[in-house]
């Protein structure tokens, strides 16, 4: 995780792969699923969505069995990004919508709005500009409520105006 945060996803992949092998031998399903989520996300970050898909789907199955809803929602965001990168916009929309719903149930507003941003982006990519605009406007209206969560607030504050403008221009054409 530290390597990923420093933009060193290749290093992260090496350590995560080793950790996955060890945790599998130890039959530590919970921590293995977390490692697989991070492994898949690391592959996504370096532009290898084909390599990301298998560990993400494995993590998803494990989190479902464990009833780990927050981690399952995180996995759905990563799967949304994965399907987006692979051009499967319908599945990306499905995954982002599911993640947003799961985060809403957990009352995790920052994570919910982040998932909705992914959903709006996927709608934009699929040419569904009105749906994208409606979601981006909802995020904009709710943004002040997450001002105390810099990780999500700073990202969404920086990205939202440009995305909203792009969607409105595309919708007007």
């Amino acid at each position: 995780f530290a390597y990923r945060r420093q933009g060193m996803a290749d290093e992260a992949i090496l350590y995560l792969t080793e950790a996955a092998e060890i945790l599998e031998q130890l039959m530590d399903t919970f921590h293995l699923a977390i490692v697989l989520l991070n492994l898949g996300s690391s592959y996504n970050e370096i532009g290898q969505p084909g390599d990301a898909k298998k560990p993400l789907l494995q993590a998803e199955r494990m989190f479902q069995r464990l009833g780990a809803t927050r981690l399952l929602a995180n996995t759905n965001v990563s799967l949304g990004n994965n399907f987006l990168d692979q051009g499967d916009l319908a599945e990306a929309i499905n995954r982002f919508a599911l993640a947003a719903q799961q985060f809403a149930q957990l009352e995790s507003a920052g994570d919910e709005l982040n998932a909705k941003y992914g959903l709006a982006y996927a709608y934009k990519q699929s040419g569904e500009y009105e749906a994208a605009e409606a979601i981006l406007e909802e995020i904009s209206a709710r943004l002040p409520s997450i001002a105390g969560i810099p990780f999500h607030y700073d990202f969404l504050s920086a990205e939202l105006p440009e995305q909203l403008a792009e969607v409105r221009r595309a919708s007007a054409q």
Side-chain angles (χ1 to χ4, degrees):
F1 187 75
Y3 280 119
R4 277 184 56 210
R5 288 287 178 182
Q6 294 177 24
M8 300 169 64
D10 289 328
E11 289 289 325
I13 289 169
L14 292 174
Y15 287 106
L16 290 165
T17 301
E18 184 179 344
E21 292 169 3
I22 294 167
L23 291 166
E24 192 167 15
Q25 289 174 0
L26 295 172
M27 295 186 289
D28 185 343
T29 305
F30 179 74
H31 292 103
L32 174 59
I34 292 171
V35 166
L36 292 171
L37 167 58
N38 284 299
L39 180 60
S41 297
S42 296
Y43 277 121
N44 274 343
E45 286 178 20
I46 63 169
Q48 295 180 352
D51 292 328
K53 191 173 184 178
K54 183 180 176 184
L56 290 173
L57 290 173
Q58 288 175 310
E60 175 190 35
R61 285 189 298 275
M62 291 175 181
F63 290 137
Q64 285 172 337
R65 278 186 301 219
L66 294 166
T69 306
R70 176 174 298 283
L71 292 166
L72 182 58
N74 287 334
T75 305
N76 278 315
V77 169
S78 290
L79 281 164
N81 287 321
N82 183 264
F83 286 113
L84 195 61
D85 290 345
Q86 294 189 65
D88 187 344
L89 299 176
E91 190 58 29
I93 288 168
N94 180 47
R95 294 303 182 139
F96 286 125
L98 183 57
Q101 180 183 39
Q102 290 165 329
F103 284 127
Q105 290 171 348
L106 293 167
E107 298 180 1
S108 182
D111 292 315
E112 177 192 355
L113 295 182
N114 183 62
K116 284 189 174 191
Y117 179 82
L119 178 60
Y121 188 83
Y123 275 132
K124 181 182 110 177
Q125 294 301 106
S126 69
E128 297 179 56
Y129 303 119
E130 288 180 17
E133 184 176 358
I135 293 167
L136 292 171
E137 287 175 349
E138 176 194 349
I139 294 168
S140 182
R142 292 181 57 197
L143 198 56
S145 72
I146 65 162
I149 309 170
F151 181 74
H152 293 303
Y153 181 82
D154 293 347
F155 170 77
L156 292 171
S157 294
E159 296 292 320
L160 196 59
E162 182 180 331
Q163 289 300 316
L164 196 49
E166 283 182 28
V167 166
R168 287 178 176 154
R169 276 193 303 272
S171 186
Q173 293 178 351

